[in-house]
Each structure stands twice: as C-alpha cells, then as structure tokens.
Amino acid sequence: MMQIRDKVELSEKVQAYRELHYKIGFVPTMGALHFGHLSLVRKSRAENQITIVSIFVNPTQFNDPNDLEKYPRMPEQDLEMLDAEGVDIVFMPDVETIYPDEKRNHFDLAGLDKPMEGKFRKGHFDGVADVVFRLFDIVKPDRAYFGEKDYQQLKIIQQMTKVAELPVEIISGEIIRESDGLAMSSRNIRLSEQERVAAANIYQIIRDFEPETFVEKPDKAEDIIAEKINKNEHLKTEYVSIVEDESMQTPKKLELDVTYRLCVAVWCGQVRLIDNLTFVITNNY
Ligand code: AMP
C-alpha cells in the first residue's frame, strides 16, 4: 500500500493507472476508521481495479473548534486496517496541500443544505462540498463511495457533482451498526461506558417507529420520538426530522409509496451522534 501526502505525486500515480485503463474507486474519510468505512472500501475494491482512500480531517467543515480539536486521530491503526483490506493508495494530505490559499469554492446546493445538519451546523456543508470537490480534483476517481450514515451529506455531494459537472459516479453504502444497533461512528470512542449504553437507545427507538400511525401528522411523530429519546438522562435530541428522501423537504402528510427518511441528531454527553432510516408506506399493511 502506497502512502502519499503530495498531491502532484498522487495525480501522477493516478494518471499512470488511467493510461492502463484502470477504473479508480475513491473513499474519502476523516480517519479513526471502523467497519463503516471498511464496508465502503470493500465495495470500491469489488468494483474498481484501484482503490484510493483519503484520510483528511477537514477543518472547514467543523463549525465547532472544540469538536475539531477533539476529533479522534489514530493514523497508525488506520494504516494497518487499510493495508489489511488491500487498499492501493492512502492519500494523507496536510491542510496547506488542500487549502493553499484563502479561496473557497461555493456551489448551488439547491436548498439541500438548509434543514437538519445545515440548520444546526452553520457552514458545515459548504466545507464538505468544497473539500470533496478539491479531493475529486486531485484523485479524479471514476467512482466515489459515501455512507448513508451521513445521508444529507450524500445528497449534497450528489448535487455538487452535478452542478460542477464532474464525471464521477457517486455510490452509496448502507449504514453499518454495532450489534446493539448503534450506528458506527469515529466519535463513538469518545463516549463513556454509560453513554455508550445509552447511545444504543437512539436506533432502538427510531427502529420502532410506525409511520402508518402518523400519516396525517408526521410532525407529531417527530415530537414523540424526541420525547422518547430525551427520557434517557444521557441523551438530548437536537432534531428529529422526517423528510422526503430525494428532495429532503418536510412533508405535511405521508403519501403512499413515497420514500421518506427519519433523521436524528442527538447529543450523548459531549458527543453529537446522527442516525437515520428510510421508510415507505405501502398499501399492504
Ligand atoms: P467520516 O470519516 O466520518 O467522514 O466518514 C467517511 C465516510 O464513511 C462517509 O461517507 C460516511 O458516511 C461513511 N460512514 C461513516 N460511518 C458509517 C457507517 N456506520 N456506516 C456506513 N458508512 C459510514
């Protein structure tokens, strides 16, 4: 496995693979890797001749400096995991490599950046869209892999790729969970033992949601779910939102055969966790 920090060196390597007509799969990460990341790596390995993983904790997407400082970093362990997965190249740029000057790219995110994460983390998605654009520009992948764990981010990257007319196929991977249902996250290691137990409630509560009961009043469902989560002394919801899966718009009522997504952000102690699940109401219940 090659470890590359320099963007010119990376571009040259990619160009050489391209001349051999190899397909390039790319998995951008912020490190502190877990099986959620590795599931995307495996997908890329199955679909491309070359897999490149980036590890870059992107400062511009952190609205909270404390969160950036506390973000877990464990490069040695990450490299071992990626090597064992058969990754071809790990790209580990420093901040100056990605942001050589003060200029920032802005994209028309079609309002997808307004609700939920966008509302509570000001500027977050501008930072995400900019860094992914910059990474795509260096790596020039054929396919790039993103987890549904960060569902709104996935939609925003699809939108950025569309408006910037980039020839990259965006491929999504399902949410990988711990055995008690907690969505895997790099941030989970910051939870205390008690908080870790409490955190499992988030998925256990959203999983039990019965949308058929709330067809006329999805906003009521959001309140009830938030109330259930907040009953646990370690948990405090920031939002519980039901949105239409494609547009991320809030529905007034739930229609048959339309795909929706229930999304939550919950503080567990000092750690902010997000999760989501998708649902459709069909006629056969
Ligand atoms: P991060 O390192 O948190 O920026 O995540 C890098 C990529 O891994 C993103 O596309 C995430 O959506 C994805 N990811 C993170 N956690 C999970 C998970 N539990 N299941 C699937 N994908 C995940």
Side-chain angles (χ1 to χ4, degrees):
M1 184 174 73
M2 272 180 276
Q3 295 174 32
I4 300 183
R5 291 183 182 275
D6 182 64
K7 61 180 167 188
V8 177
E9 189 186 346
L10 183 78
S11 294
E12 284 170 2
K13 282 270 164 352
V14 172
Q15 186 52 31
Y17 290 133
R18 217 162 261 301
E19 280 161 20
L20 296 169
H21 301 286
Y22 286 169
K23 292 285 179 205
I24 315 258
F26 178 43
V27 184
T29 81
M30 298 207 296
L33 302 178
H34 49 69
F35 192 66
H37 299 109
L38 299 189
S39 67
L40 298 174
V41 168
R42 288 182 188 180
K43 234 176 166 107
S44 171
R45 292 254 301 137
E47 294 173 0
N48 304 280
Q49 279 82 34
I50 297 293
T51 290
I52 302 176
V53 175
S54 63
I55 300 178
F56 179 63
V57 182
N58 174 36
T60 70
Q61 73 187 68
F62 284 81
N63 52 316
D64 173 1
N66 189 41
D67 189 26
L68 173 61
E69 193 199 319
K70 295 240 169 75
Y71 199 83
R73 291 165 172 89
M74 42 191 71
E76 280 97 42
Q77 186 185 306
D78 290 347
L79 290 171
E80 260 176 46
M81 287 165 86
L82 295 177
D83 195 26
E85 290 294 322
V87 165
D88 300 283
I89 300 179
V90 184
F91 180 45
M92 294 185 295
D94 56 25
V95 173
E96 292 70 36
T97 302
I98 299 298
Y99 300 106
D101 54 38
E102 300 292 305
K103 274 188 249 141
R104 298 292 178 260
N105 299 300
H106 295 279
F107 301 91
D108 175 6
L109 299 176
L112 294 166
D113 57 328
K114 296 290 177 264
M116 304 193 295
E117 292 301 284
K119 184 164 161 201
F120 288 94
R121 300 184 70 188
K122 289 278 172 248
H124 168 65
F125 285 128
D126 284 334
V128 168
D130 190 11
V131 77
V132 173
F133 177 81
R134 286 164 190 260
L135 290 168
F136 282 2
D137 192 46
I138 299 166
V139 177
K140 297 203 166 43
D142 296 287
R143 303 188 181 96
Y145 295 80
F146 294 87
E148 287 192 7
K149 155 90 175 357
D150 301 276
Y151 185 73
Q152 195 173 7
Q153 167 175 286
L154 169 67
K155 302 303 295 177
I156 276 161
I157 287 160
Q158 286 169 339
Q159 168 69 12
M160 180 279 287
T161 308
K162 190 170 113 189
V163 294
E165 298 182 16
L166 302 180
V168 186
E169 191 182 346
I170 306 298
I171 296 178
S172 64
E174 62 174 12
I175 303 178
I176 306 297
R177 300 180 178 282
E178 303 286 356
S179 54
D180 60 4
L182 175 63
M184 287 191 183
S185 164
S186 304
R187 291 185 164 89
N188 291 352
I189 51 177
R190 292 180 49 211
L191 299 170
S192 71
E193 224 170 282
Q194 287 167 322
E195 287 164 356
R196 171 64 191 80
V197 173
N201 279 280
I202 301 169
Y203 181 61
Q204 289 160 6
I205 289 168
I206 63 172
R207 185 190 52 192
D208 289 346
F209 169 52
E210 288 174 357
E212 295 81 7
T213 323
F214 295 96
V215 168
E216 298 293 334
K217 42 183 183 342
D219 51 339
K220 182 89 187 139
E222 295 171 352
D223 294 346
I224 291 174
I225 292 165
E227 226 171 82
K228 280 190 187 163
I229 293 175
N230 292 335
K231 271 205 180 121
N232 186 297
E233 58 173 332
H234 296 287
L235 304 178
K236 177 94 192 64
T237 52
E238 199 162 70
Y239 63 78
V240 175
S241 293
I242 293 170
V243 292
E244 201 266 310
D245 202 77
E246 267 310 304
S247 67
M248 314 262 321
Q249 296 292 314
T250 306
K252 285 206 168 49
K253 54 182 283 203
L254 303 176
E255 308 284 347
L256 281 184
D257 300 321
V258 173
T259 307
Y260 297 102
R261 204 164 277 260
L262 168 60
C263 303
V264 298
V266 182
W267 283 95
C268 184
Q270 299 293 307
V271 183
R272 188 175 181 279
L273 302 172
I274 58 171
D275 201 348
N276 69 78
L277 51 80
T278 179
F279 65 89
V280 184
I281 303 179
T282 57
N283 239 337
N284 0 312
Y285 66 89

